[in-house]
Amino acid sequence: MNANEHAGITGETGRSITRVELTWIENQVEFWIRFGRDAEETILDRRRRVLGFAPGSVFAFVRWAANEYGTALSRIDIVRAVTPDEPYSTVSFVDPGGEILLHISGWPKVERVLQAIDAVEAIGIDAADAAPDHWRHVHNRLTAGELPRPYSRSRHVAWLMRRRIAP
């Protein structure tokens, strides 16, 4: 893998890949993907791996870390992988970054996001296929201290129809 490929500019197949570095050290550092369809995987060692996501893919990246006093970091980001010509925001451990649909910190709010993801999946919809606006809505409502409205099948059908007619 050359420097440009690792930087997320182009993968071995010639398409843009967004890479996420995951770490798992039990009860210390746990960075994991809650949902999303990875296009590639590179295992770095027994505790670290890198997942690659194709442009347009949506994924949820959960980060948790602890120290001797308890939880030090609890965060979830729902990100859409971008193409090289699209603007993007940086996210730690996501290379080069992506379109941030949701960014929540603090365990109580992270737990509510995980429940919102579970609710989408409970109605038979893959969370990666849900309307990006839903994740923005969840972000805005939780940031304001309000409960988000649940995602519905009718909203999902409307999203699929909108996606067919809009570029």
Side-chain angles (χ1 to χ4, degrees):
M1 182 182 303
N2 68 39
N4 284 343
E5 289 171 340
H6 184 68
I9 296 169
T10 56
E12 293 171 10
T13 61
R15 63 183 179 174
S16 173
I17 296 290
T18 297
R19 291 185 172 82
V20 182
E21 186 174 337
L22 305 176
T23 303
W24 189 273
I25 303 170
E26 193 77 33
N27 297 318
Q28 293 178 35
V29 177
E30 299 176 2
F31 294 0
W32 50 284
I33 297 295
R34 172 55 182 84
F35 69 78
R37 292 182 201 88
D38 57 284
E40 66 179 30
E41 178 179 18
T42 304
I43 297 173
L44 303 174
D45 57 42
R46 51 180 271 241
R47 294 182 173 172
R48 296 179 310 132
R49 63 189 175 122
V50 177
L51 291 182
F53 294 90
S57 310
V58 175
F59 59 91
F61 179 34
V62 181
R63 289 173 281 166
W64 178 88
N67 59 27
E68 61 271 12
Y69 302 106
T71 298
L73 169 74
S74 184
R75 182 169 295 150
I76 186 168
D77 293 287
I78 298 181
V79 179
R80 185 183 68 81
V82 296
T83 61
D85 59 336
E86 286 183 277
Y88 61 86
S89 299
T90 58
V91 178
S92 298
F93 305 99
V94 177
D95 193 12
E99 178 186 359
I100 301 172
L101 305 176
L102 177 144
H103 173 80
I104 295 289
S105 297
W107 177 247
K109 289 182 180 180
V110 169
E111 187 174 32
R112 287 190 204 108
V113 173
L114 294 172
Q115 291 166 351
I117 293 167
D118 290 342
V120 169
E121 293 173 341
I123 61 172
I125 298 169
D126 188 325
D129 295 329
D133 289 342
H134 176 66
W135 302 122
R136 291 183 190 101
H137 163 77
V138 172
H139 167 88
N140 292 333
R141 296 289 291 200
L142 292 177
T143 300
E146 299 290 329
L147 291 175
R149 289 185 297 277
Y151 195 66
S152 66
R153 286 195 162 282
S154 61
R155 184 163 184 201
H156 188 65
V157 168
W159 157 243
L160 294 175
M161 290 179 2
R162 184 175 123 206
R163 192 171 64 180
R164 262 188 269 147
I165 62 170

